[in-house]
Amino acid sequence: MSMKMEYRGGCLCGAVQLYVMVDGHKVGACHCAMCRKWGGGPLLALENVLGLRLEGEEAVSVYASSDWAERGFCSHCGTHLFYRLKEGGHYAVPVGLLEVDDDWVLDEEIFIESQPPYYAFSNQTKRLTGEQAFAAKQP
């Protein structure tokens, strides 16, 4: 059953507002070293993003963090806004940016081979290696 909804969110300083269209209430966790370095812990993000619209784009900076992906952040306050693949249109948006704490469900974890031993989530999720996660994103 499809549950398409649009949510509003923004950065800490308010320079960037985002409107994200998602299908469902699923949240994914990425344990890769780059996401953990970027945010100090696993990235908890909406992975089922159908569309993303930004207001205040002049305050958005984009960093090419790898050959295949970019990370967007507010150039004023540093808030993490999105992770996106350079090809294919996939966006991941940190769930904590949204103004509404909806009935989100942690559904999937990726890069499980990179997860450090000092934390673990208690609920059952689909757990994928980095290789499996990339294979799942291929058309």
Side-chain angles (χ1 to χ4, degrees), residues 94-116:
V95 68
L97 296 180
L98 304 181
E99 293 177 353
V100 176
D101 286 330
D102 219 338
D103 296 327
W104 305 112
V105 176
L106 181 61
D107 177 66
E108 181 178 272
E109 298 175 63
I110 62 172
F111 284 89
I112 59 168
E113 71 278 15
S114 299
Q115 181 179 347

Side-chain angles (χ1 to χ4, degrees), residues 12 17 21-22 25 32 40 43 45-46 50 52 68 127-128 136:
L12 284 170
Q17 296 296 308
M21 177 68 70
V22 297
H25 288 94
C32 80
L43 174 63
L46 304 171
L50 301 174
L52 176 66
W68 60 86
R127 294 176 49 85
L128 303 173

Side-chain angles (χ1 to χ4, degrees), residues 35-75:
C35 280
R36 289 186 290 113
K37 183 170 277 210
W38 190 39
L43 174 63
L44 300 175
L46 304 171
E47 294 284 343
N48 51 351
V49 173
L50 301 174
L52 176 66
R53 182 172 55 89
L54 298 169
E55 290 180 3
E57 286 190 66
E58 64 279 357
V60 176
S61 291
V62 176
Y63 173 67
S65 56
S66 67
D67 291 340
W68 60 86
E70 301 173 322
R71 296 168 190 267
F73 59 95
C74 175
S75 60

